[in-house]
Amino acid sequence: MSKPFDLKFIPFSQLHISKLNMRHSETAPEIDDILPSVKERGIRQPLIVRREGGTAKKPKYGIVAGRRRYFCLSSIAAEGVEIPDVPCCVMDAKDDALAIETSIIENVARLAPTEMEQYEAFSALAKKGQSVDDIAAVFGITANSVKRRLALGALIPEVKEAYTNQQIDAASIRVLTMATEEQQAAWLELFNSDDYCPTGTHQLKAWLTGGGVITTEVALFNVTEYTGTILTDLFGEHGQFADVEHFWEAQNAAIAKEVETYKADGWKEVILGERGHYFPTYSYVRHPKDQGGRVYIETRDNGEVLFHEGYITDKEAQTIRRALSNGQSEGAKASKTSKPEMSGPMADYMNLHRHSIARAELIKRADLALRLSVAHMICGARKWKIDGISPRSRKPETQASVEGSKAEAILAEERKAVCDLLGLSMEHPQIYYRHHSPYDVCEIFARLLTLEDADVLRIQAFCLCETLAVDSSEVEAIGILTKPDFGDYWSPDDAFFDILRDKPTINLMVKDIAGKSCADGAVTDTAKQQKQIIKNRMAGHGVEDASPDWLPRWAAFPAKPYKAVNGCAPAERARRIDKMFKPA
């Protein structure tokens, strides 16, 4: 039992912060919440101190608990106020462990210390001879909690510092306690670089083992006889195998023993599935062992092994039901059908190799690649999704305006020519259909092989035009690159004026075609009246010179806004890409 404390009043000048105080090395604490009370009433709760140096006439005392009260007194003294002797409980100067305990308990009651601060304190107690159980008993926590804090001692100084500075999260630091010093240094180098760095529990554990996370509870073998390394995870319920390949050697041996046990137990067939492939119970039916039921073994990437006893395939179950309904014998229903010569894994193997070889040859034949890509553009394919549906407007007037335009007439003429080249001539030639293509890829591919490159490129250009998205940046890019004369294709029609509604914009259009004075004079007119001014000017009504070629600012590549760019979608898209397509 420790000696009782002596109460003394000690001169302020003889006090200092003890190195056994768990927060002795930190910067000055926040004292705004208690300073007014100390100024008014003084120190009401004694400091806990121990004799540390000085002389017999003028001893020095280190503060084990009461650091913030000491800083309050220092602040008052700095204002020129004389500090009276301070009430202190003096503890045994030789009992370092008690001093550390007292500091921790006092600080925990005030502000929970960080995990690293707890490690430093618990480590100091351990060095003074306190056992894990002793430390746990003092602070009312479990022994495992103490072990977890002491595990932080396995961290290299650089990692500790980064954690103290809150650069590394708690989940990662706990996993790093399982790592060797070399692994910690390698991880820290990654952490401080621009490369990918695994963090968090799962990713970091997988990185430490060079593979997936496999914990000890999934082992079929006796873990105590395992010759490999098991990482002790004090922050998890189970240890972790350090070498995944070594684990699977032991696990596979245990699985092989289980297979022999099943066969000895009378199971006619035990099927071991591929690792990582889940057993789809919905495709199988429960069936007794004595009637041909099998055992299916499922092995998961996390090391877990599941044994599914007494199953046959759903297809086999259907065959049995049909046989029974036809009155066939039990033996007939259990007969097996012949297996295909190429298993699923073998077909997968050959298909992948054939795919690689075909691709390696195709890159040497640009002519074939061109034609096959065009065939895909026309028909689609498993990895090509082509939407050739003609864009439509919700307003019939807009749709009629577009369909009657010069540009659409040019496209319609080209569509017929392309259909002729492909041998798709019909009364209403069409390449794309709403839901799926009626054409076969290889059929179109074979036809393209008979055409010259120029014709194939012509078809390719048209297919791209048919699949070009409305209101896309690509449309603006093509316009910037080709610089078409907008007026050669379009002029404002009734559909345009019908949906022209913004009055300030209409007034700016009046200014463009009729001048500022006319626009100012019409500024209070209705939108309908101002639009009529534009139409009259275009037709030459009431003016000497007509302006039939007038176009709004939007009718250009790039489009120009009347007010703000972000209010004019074509101008906004053009601004985003304009610099990409300007000549250097």
Side-chain angles (χ1 to χ4, degrees):
M1 180 179 292
S2 300
K3 296 179 181 179
F5 292 171
D6 294 329
L7 179 63
K8 290 185 178 181
F9 286 84
I10 300 173
F12 177 68
S13 61
Q14 294 176 223
L15 296 174
H16 63 273
I17 303 299
S18 173
K19 290 185 177 180
L20 295 181
N21 188 301
M22 68 176 297
R23 300 187 190 275
H24 76 90
S25 62
E26 295 184 9
T27 56
E30 293 289 336
I31 58 174
D32 293 344
D33 57 333
I34 63 172
L35 181 59
S37 174
V38 174
K39 282 184 176 181
E40 182 178 351
R41 300 185 179 87
I43 297 296
R44 307 296 293 272
Q45 180 181 356
L47 310 182
I48 300 178
V49 301
R50 66 199 293 271
R51 173 73 182 274
E52 292 182 352
T55 63
K57 291 184 178 181
K58 194 175 181 180
K60 297 287 185 180
Y61 294 90
I63 298 172
V64 174
R67 181 170 175 267
R68 289 213 304 158
R69 280 164 275 161
Y70 173 78
F71 273 91
C72 285
L73 295 175
S74 297
S75 175
I76 296 170
E79 296 175 359
V81 178
E82 185 176 350
I83 306 297
D85 290 352
V86 181
C88 299
C89 291
V90 183
M91 61 189 305
D92 185 358
K94 297 180 181 179
D95 199 340
D96 289 355
L98 178 60
I100 295 170
E101 288 177 7
T102 304
S103 175
I104 297 174
I105 293 172
E106 199 271 353
N107 277 283
V108 168
R110 179 180 66 80
L111 179 64
T114 65
E115 289 183 353
M116 194 56 71
E117 288 174 333
Q118 291 175 19
Y119 155 70
E120 298 287 353
F122 292 171
S123 178
L125 287 175
K127 290 177 181 177
K128 296 297 181 181
Q130 298 278 56
S131 69
V132 169
D133 290 335
D134 291 338
I135 298 171
V138 168
F139 298 103
I141 58 178
T142 64
N144 198 39
S145 296
V146 176
K147 290 178 181 178
R148 288 174 178 174
R149 296 299 172 265
L150 293 176
L152 299 177
L155 300 173
I156 60 177
E158 295 83 1
V159 172
K160 287 182 183 177
E161 183 180 359
Y163 179 55
T164 301
N165 294 336
Q166 299 184 341
Q167 294 173 277
I168 303 176
D169 63 277
S172 298
I173 209 70
R174 290 167 183 170
V175 177
L176 285 171
T177 62
M178 303 165 61
T180 64
E181 292 187 357
E182 292 77 11
Q183 286 176 317
Q184 292 180 49
W187 180 87
L188 191 62
E189 185 176 349
L190 272 180
F191 185 77
N192 292 326
S193 71
D194 294 330
D195 297 332
Y196 164 75
C197 179
T199 57
T201 303
H202 186 79
Q203 292 182 349
L204 190 45
K205 280 186 175 181
W207 180 83
L208 286 179
T209 59
V213 177
I214 300 179
T215 51
T216 52
E217 85 273 13
V218 301
L220 296 178
F221 51 86
N222 188 342
V223 176
T224 58
E225 299 176 0
Y226 180 68
T227 58
T229 302
I230 296 177
L231 303 176
T232 302
D233 185 0
L234 292 173
F235 298 91
E237 296 181 7
H238 306 282
Q240 177 183 342
F241 292 99
D243 188 333
V244 174
E245 292 302 323
H246 191 43
F247 160 80
W248 278 113
E249 289 177 9
Q251 189 78 328
N252 288 339
I255 293 173
K257 289 182 181 179
E258 293 291 338
V259 171
E260 294 304 319
T261 301
Y262 273 116
K263 289 182 177 180
D265 196 31
W267 291 92
K268 294 181 179 179
E269 195 171 6
V270 181
I271 298 176
L272 177 60
E274 293 181 46
R275 188 189 305 172
H277 287 200
Y278 287 80
F279 179 71
T281 53
Y282 55 82
S283 297
Y284 291 78
V285 176
R286 296 299 297 265
H287 206 67
K289 175 174 68 174
D290 58 357
Q291 295 181 20
R294 307 184 188 93
V295 176
Y296 289 86
I297 302 177
E298 175 186 347
T299 56
R300 298 182 175 179
D301 289 330
N302 67 351
E304 187 179 5
V305 182
L306 302 178
F307 299 89
H308 303 278
E309 299 176 359
Y311 281 92
I312 59 174
T313 66
D314 187 55
K315 184 177 180 180
E316 289 172 329
Q318 292 177 16
T319 301
I320 291 173
R321 284 194 294 270
R322 284 195 299 268
L324 290 175
S325 65
N326 293 331
Q328 296 180 14
S329 65
E330 188 76 10
K333 70 178 181 180
S335 62
K336 296 183 178 180
T337 59
S338 59
K339 294 183 178 180
E341 68 178 43
M342 186 179 285
S343 65
M346 177 56 71
D348 182 57
Y349 175 90
M350 292 305 302
N351 287 338
L352 287 172
H353 276 289
R354 293 167 66 83
H355 181 249
S356 294
I357 294 169
R359 287 157 58 210
E361 287 299 309
L362 187 58
I363 61 173
K364 305 172 187 176
R365 293 290 303 275
D367 58 325
L368 294 183
L370 168 65
R371 286 159 174 80
L372 184 54
S373 65
V374 174
H376 280 156
M377 291 175 72
I378 293 172
C379 304
R382 279 184 295 170
K383 293 194 175 184
W384 285 61
K385 187 177 186 305
I386 304 297
D387 184 357
I389 301 172
S390 298
R392 300 193 63 82
S393 171
R394 288 174 294 181
K395 294 185 69 66
E397 297 84 358
T398 298
Q399 189 64 34
S401 176
V402 173
E403 290 177 352
S405 68
K406 179 181 177 179
E408 282 297 315
I410 293 173
L411 289 168
E413 185 178 346
E414 183 65 5
R415 184 178 297 109
K416 186 177 185 309
V418 166
C419 285
D420 289 339
L421 287 170
L422 291 169
L424 306 177
S425 298
M426 56 197 82
E427 185 178 355
H428 300 290
Q430 186 175 349
I431 291 181
Y432 293 103
Y433 289 76
R434 182 170 183 81
H435 297 294
H436 61 84
S437 175
Y439 311 122
D440 181 76
V441 172
C442 287
E443 177 188 353
I444 297 296
F445 184 29
R447 176 64 178 171
L448 290 167
L449 288 172
T450 67
L451 302 179
E452 297 294 330
D453 284 358
D455 290 331
V456 176
L457 289 171
R458 180 181 180 182
I459 296 170
Q460 182 186 41
F462 179 78
C463 291
L464 183 58
C465 292
E466 291 282 82
T467 57
L468 192 63
V470 180
D471 65 18
S472 65
S473 297
E474 302 94 285
V475 170
E476 304 302 324
I478 292 168
I480 291 171
L481 292 170
T482 60
K483 299 180 177 60
D485 184 349
F486 217 108
D488 194 31
Y489 290 92
W490 174 86
S491 63
D493 57 9
D494 290 338
F496 170 81
F497 284 109
D498 286 344
I499 57 177
L500 183 61
R501 302 291 173 83
D502 184 67
K503 191 175 174 181
T505 301
I506 296 170
N507 188 256
L508 290 171
M509 291 181 179
V510 172
K511 180 180 177 182
D512 279 350
I513 194 170
K516 185 177 185 301
S517 59
C518 181
D520 291 345
V523 72
T524 58
D525 291 353
T526 63
K528 182 178 180 180
Q529 290 170 330
Q530 294 190 64
K531 285 190 283 187
Q532 191 59 51
I533 293 173
I534 298 172
K535 292 179 182 180
N536 290 341
R537 289 282 178 156
M538 291 180 68
H541 298 158
V543 292
E544 294 181 1
D545 297 319
S547 302
D549 298 329
W550 175 84
L551 296 173
R553 299 178 194 175
W554 306 328
F557 287 98
K560 297 178 177 58
Y562 278 96
K563 292 185 288 189
V565 171
N566 57 9
C568 177
E572 190 174 0
R573 289 193 294 270
R575 183 179 64 174
R576 286 200 305 267
I577 67 168
D578 189 41
K579 292 182 180 179
M580 301 179 194
F581 298 99
K582 280 185 175 179

